[in-house]
Amino acid sequence: MALRTTALGAACATLVAGGVLGLAPTARAAGGVRYVDIAGDGGTVLKANVVTPADGTRRHPLIVLPTSWGFPQVEYLVQAQRLADSGYVVVGYNVRGFWQSGGDIDVAGPHDVADAAKVVDWALAHTPSDPEHIGMAGVSYGAGISLLAAAHDPRVRAVASLSGWGDLIDSIYSGRTQHVQAAAVLDTVGTVTGHQSDESRRIFSAFYASDLSKEGDMTAWGKKRSPVTYADQLNKNGAAVMLAGAWGDTIFPPNQSAAFYDKLTGPKRLEFRPGDHATAELGGLFGVPNDVWDDTGRWFDHYLKGEDNGVDREQPVRLKSRTNGGYEGYPDWKSVSANRTEVALAGSPTIHTGVDSGADGGIVFLSSILDQVAQLPPVAAVPLLPRRWAAVWQSGKYATPQRVRGTTRLHTTLAPTAESGTLVAYLYDVGPLGLGRLVTHAPYTFHGRTPGTPFGLDLDLFSTAYDVPAGHRLALVVDTVDPLYIEHNPSGARLTFSSPADDPSYVSVPLREQ
């Protein structure tokens, strides 16, 4: 019931946002807006809008904007008109299977990729678009489709992927654990606003059922829809790629985007800010001044219009901490986590599974939005966490602020009493009164282990940027139940952690240089 309520709430929020976008005041575009039908792959009708510059005597760079999951075709109208006012032809279209567009939802599959090429074809034939200067951008679903299209269509010279994904499997199945709240939101919104295909319905059903016999099929399905699978093609095509995401993205966590960024060899940029999925750029859709959309415009101005605006000379990795307002620049993603401190995980605690200890990753969307707007992450009273169901380790008090940046790594030795199991690791910032504020977390699931036999466990927690005040501690908490995820712990199972002398357990925390 809680899962259905959360998913329904998120779906309602999406529908409300989509409706408001249709009523949002828009800037006046000199060339006006046309609503058109475009024949996509196989003749499927795609509902679209076209905004052109006032100057119709010459060709202009083209930007194509596929809509987000569950959003109508007017989603980008404010930004489209602004781009048109600055000299772009802009075509925004409703992806297949949603709202008035025809076909079934393909979940960024081959039909969606082919649709994007058809939209480009149509724009070149029916608008004053320059075939040598074509870009694509989108939020969430539109971001992923834009990256996949650029990998398959060398005509696309620049991409801005906003709250998109690099690896779909690592997004909603990281640590071999189903991100059930995230999937339920996508599934519910897709059911309410679109027409799901039989294939996507089967994938969602197998996902919820934890059907390991279908794991290979689900993985293959996800790889086909992951830009990282086509990184070599994208590099060969040479498109300039900007990736922008949020630290608390509960649909597409930041790690997989950073890993994808590392595989790109052409012009590239990576940005992370506080927030949840698509919340950092949402205001820009309503015309509110917005850093993400400003950077998107600068990216296209340089790589499509050739403007010398300096975007190519800035540090390509830009981060904004969840606890202060400044941006930080880095030469690459590796440099973000170059400095580390370790917290030893001594002892051999045993925890019982199947009960939520009170340490949680929060609620999809809500928790990270609260963190974004009010710096209120999920909290836990660390001294009161029941040790029967939670293992807890703490550092000493820090004399100076600890600026956590990048990916925290857990290494430990685990002996389960069952062949399958799930755990969730949390890193907390613990104040003087013992109240812990969530810094980061991640789930981990194992199958096919020999009961009673220890094995080494390495887990990357979700990347973040968070400043721990002086006088506070860091605490690592491990339990086995979190409402965000499906858990695979048999009834009565236990997990024992240890720290062998020849392979000590620790949590490695990345820190920015003081």
Side-chain angles (χ1 to χ4, degrees):
M1 179 62 71
L3 177 59
R4 289 196 296 270
T5 302
T6 299
L8 181 60
C12 291
T14 301
L15 292 171
V16 169
V20 171
L21 283 170
L23 302 174
T26 60
R28 181 182 178 87
V33 181
R34 287 190 293 143
Y35 292 91
V36 301
D37 290 350
I38 298 176
D41 186 39
T44 297
V45 175
L46 305 175
K47 296 294 183 178
N49 52 67
V50 183
V51 192
T52 56
D55 180 6
T57 63
R58 62 185 180 87
R59 292 195 174 273
H60 301 271
L62 168 66
I63 295 179
V64 175
L65 303 172
T67 53
S68 303
W69 184 271
F71 277 72
Q73 70 184 89
V74 295
E75 175 185 6
Y76 303 115
L77 204 52
V78 170
Q79 291 299 327
Q81 292 182 330
R82 288 183 172 180
L83 287 166
D85 285 342
S86 65
Y88 294 94
V89 172
V90 186
V91 179
Y93 72 96
N94 231 123
V95 294
R96 67 169 52 227
F98 285 102
W99 295 88
Q100 295 96 341
S101 285
D104 295 328
I105 298 170
D106 196 33
V107 196
H111 294 301
D112 283 314
V113 174
D115 284 344
K118 292 288 188 181
V119 172
V120 171
D121 292 341
W122 183 93
L124 294 177
H126 296 88
T127 71
S129 300
D130 183 349
E132 301 300 320
H133 299 90
I134 299 173
M136 290 191 66
V139 176
S140 183
Y141 193 43
I145 291 174
S146 295
L147 288 170
L148 290 163
H152 288 83
D153 189 341
R155 295 177 297 178
V156 179
R157 306 307 303 154
V159 175
S161 169
L162 315 181
S163 289
W165 71 92
D167 187 328
L168 189 57
I169 294 298
D170 198 36
S171 294
I172 61 175
Y173 195 51
S174 71
R176 211 178 176 187
T177 308
Q178 295 101 318
H179 297 209
V180 66
Q181 283 192 14
V185 168
L186 295 174
D187 189 13
T188 304
V189 172
T191 300
V192 173
T193 64
H195 313 283
Q196 288 200 26
S197 66
D198 291 340
E199 180 186 35
S200 63
R201 183 69 269 154
R202 289 194 300 270
I203 291 295
F204 274 114
S205 296
F207 184 88
Y208 295 136
S210 303
D211 188 348
L212 288 179
S213 70
K214 301 293 179 56
E215 187 177 36
D217 293 339
M218 290 189 290
T219 300
W221 178 88
K223 285 184 176 180
K224 185 184 296 184
R225 291 159 169 80
S226 297
V228 70
T229 302
Y230 312 100
D232 289 344
Q233 289 178 225
L234 193 55
N235 291 332
K236 181 180 179 181
N237 290 345
V241 177
M242 171 182 152
L243 307 175
W247 295 121
D249 195 322
T250 44
I251 307 294
F252 304 128
N255 300 43
Q256 49 82 35
S257 289
F260 173 57
Y261 173 83
D262 276 344
K263 292 184 179 297
L264 299 177
T265 59
K268 60 182 181 178
R269 184 180 180 96
L270 178 66
E271 302 181 352
F272 285 126
R273 298 172 174 86
D276 204 310
H277 183 64
T279 62
E281 55 268 35
L282 181 62
L285 298 178
F286 296 93
V288 176
N290 184 271
D291 291 351
V292 186
W293 285 104
D294 288 347
D295 286 348
T296 297
R298 295 176 64 232
W299 191 253
F300 286 138
D301 286 347
H302 180 74
Y303 287 103
L304 295 183
K305 290 168 47 174
E307 291 186 4
D308 185 14
N309 56 17
V311 72
D312 57 321
R313 296 188 296 274
E314 296 171 355
Q315 296 274 42
V317 176
R318 284 171 53 82
L319 312 179
K320 190 174 184 180
S321 171
R322 292 160 47 202
T323 47
N324 67 53
Y327 282 97
E328 303 165 5
Y330 299 84
D332 50 42
W333 177 247
K334 182 179 179 180
S335 298
V336 176
S337 301
N339 302 288
R340 292 184 168 272
T341 186
E342 289 188 359
V343 178
L345 308 180
S348 299
T350 295
I351 60 174
H352 293 248
T353 66
V355 174
D356 190 339
S357 72
D360 285 323
I363 300 173
V364 64
F365 288 122
L366 178 61
S367 297
S368 291
I369 291 175
L370 285 174
D371 188 36
Q372 177 184 0
V373 301
Q375 294 186 5
L376 292 176
V379 298
V382 174
L384 301 181
L385 291 174
R387 286 355 187 221
R388 178 180 176 84
W389 295 296
V392 180
W393 297 267
Q394 293 194 74
S395 71
K397 291 183 180 180
Y398 292 105
T400 59
Q402 304 295 292
R403 297 184 174 90
V404 179
R405 300 290 187 273
T407 308
T408 295
R409 297 191 174 105
L410 167 64
H411 173 74
T412 189
T413 297
L414 173 64
T417 60
E419 66 173 3
S420 295
T422 297
L423 60 87
V424 186
Y426 309 88
L427 186 70
Y428 283 101
D429 159 24
V430 184
L433 299 180
L435 186 66
R437 296 163 61 93
L438 187 64
V439 177
T440 181
H441 78 286
Y444 178 88
T445 294
F446 58 88
H447 296 288
R449 293 292 177 176
T450 302
T453 300
F455 65 91
L457 185 158
D458 290 284
L459 175 63
D460 283 354
L461 278 61
F462 298 138
S463 302
T464 194
Y466 181 100
D467 297 339
V468 178
H472 285 211
R473 306 172 187 266
L474 284 171
L476 181 79
V477 177
V478 179
D479 72 2
T480 63
V481 175
D482 190 305
L484 289 171
Y485 311 109
I486 290 179
E487 52 102 1
H488 298 260
N489 297 296
S491 178
R494 299 182 304 280
L495 304 177
T496 297
F497 301 89
S498 60
S499 182
D502 60 346
D503 187 19
S505 296
Y506 60 86
V507 60
S508 174
V509 181
L511 299 178
R512 182 188 177 195
E513 288 189 45
Q514 300 293 333

